[in-house]
Amino acid sequence: MKIIVTIPAYNEERTIGGLIREIKKVMSVYRYNYNILVVDDGSRDETAKIAKKAGAVVYSHPKNYGLAETFRTEMEKALRMGADVIVHIDADFQYLPKEIPKLIEEIKKGYDLVLGSRFKGKIEEMPLVKRLGNKAFSKVVSQIAGLEISDAQTGFRVFTRELAQKLVIRSDHTYTQEQIIRAVKNKFRVKEVPIYFAKRKDKSRLIVNTFSYALRAWVS
C-alpha cells in the first residue's frame, strides 16, 4: 500500500521542516511505504526550500491560488505518484503527525474517507467565533449529506485512491465540505475519529476566520 502524505503550505517556513521530520519518524516506525508531498501555494518565504531539505517532494504554484486549487493539485500529484491512500494534513502543526496511523487503520478496515474530528477529540485552543462557525457549517453539511458530521472543516483527513479519482473537487472555497457530501452521495464509507488539535503559535495564513470563509463560499 503506497501512502502519500500531502501538505498544503503558504508561507510556513517556521513549521514545515519540523512537521516533515515528525511525519517521517511516525511513518518509519510503522514501516509504511510512503512519500511526503508539499504543495507550496506561491509562498514568498523559504517554505519550498526548507521542505525539500527536509526530504519532501515539493511542487510550487507560481502564485497564491488558495486552498481549493492547492487541494486539487495535491490530488493530481499524489495520484501520479501512485498513491493508494492519501493523507491530507495542514502545515501549521496543529494536527499531530503521531495520529496519522490512527486514521490509516480505519482505511484498512474498509472506510474510504476518514476525518480527524477536533470536536470529538481535544481542542487546546480555538477562538469562539471559529468554534461557532465550524459547528454551524458542520450541521449544514450533516443535513445535506444525511450523515452526522461533527467537524466538516477538518484539515486532517485520509482517503483512498478510488475516492480521489472519482470525486473531482469543483468548488473554489468549500472543498472540505464538498468532499464529504459527495463521498456520502456516492456511497463511499465515511468515518470520524477523535484527534488532538494544538494551539497555533502564530496567526494562520490559510483562512482569516470561518465566517469570512463561509461568506466567500456562498457568494461564489
Side-chain angles (χ1 to χ4, degrees), residues 70-205:
T70 301
F71 188 74
R72 281 189 282 268
T73 299
E74 288 177 59
M75 298 306 98
E76 176 192 349
K77 301 300 180 184
L79 290 172
R80 286 188 181 183
M81 292 169 70
D84 296 304
V85 174
I86 298 172
V87 177
H88 173 88
I89 187 168
D90 289 344
D92 56 16
F93 238 137
Q94 289 189 273
Y95 300 106
L96 307 182
K98 68 180 181 181
E99 295 196 302
I100 290 174
K102 181 165 62 174
L103 276 67
I104 292 175
E105 282 304 307
E106 297 302 325
I107 293 291
K108 289 181 178 179
K109 292 177 184 177
Y111 287 95
D112 303 291
L113 172 60
V114 183
L115 307 167
S117 173
R118 296 165 292 181
F119 295 103
K120 285 189 173 183
K122 169 72 174 178
I123 298 175
E124 190 173 319
E125 181 179 277
M126 182 183 290
L128 180 61
V129 65
K130 186 173 182 180
R131 186 184 293 263
L132 293 174
N134 280 329
K135 286 187 174 182
F137 238 57
S138 295
K139 284 185 178 180
V140 171
V141 171
S142 298
Q143 291 174 350
I144 295 172
L147 179 70
E148 186 175 349
I149 300 293
S150 66
D151 192 358
Q153 288 68 246
T154 180
F156 189 14
R157 54 185 62 198
V158 179
F159 45 94
T160 62
R161 178 183 184 88
E162 182 184 2
L163 185 142
Q165 287 177 319
K166 189 167 185 178
L167 304 185
V168 179
I169 300 301
R170 302 189 184 100
S171 171
D172 288 333
H173 299 294
T174 57
Y175 78 95
T176 52
Q177 298 91 347
E178 180 185 345
Q179 188 185 48
I180 295 168
I181 293 167
R182 294 182 62 206
V184 174
K185 297 298 184 183
N186 281 274
K187 299 181 176 60
F188 285 107
R189 296 185 66 196
V190 180
K191 183 175 183 178
E192 288 188 300
V193 297
I195 59 165
Y196 190 90
F197 188 64
K199 178 181 178 180
R200 185 176 172 108
K201 294 181 174 61
D202 57 3
K203 186 177 179 180
S204 174
R205 281 165 287 277

Side-chain angles (χ1 to χ4, degrees), residues 7 9 12-13 15-21 24 36-40 45-60 91:
I7 309 170
E12 295 286 2
E13 64 182 7
T15 58
I16 194 69
L19 177 67
I20 291 169
R21 288 189 289 272
K24 290 171 71 174
I36 300 172
L37 168 67
V38 172
V39 177
D40 166 34
D45 63 4
E46 298 294 309
T47 294
K49 181 179 178 180
I50 293 171
K52 287 178 183 177
K53 187 175 181 180
V57 175
V58 178
Y59 178 84
S60 294

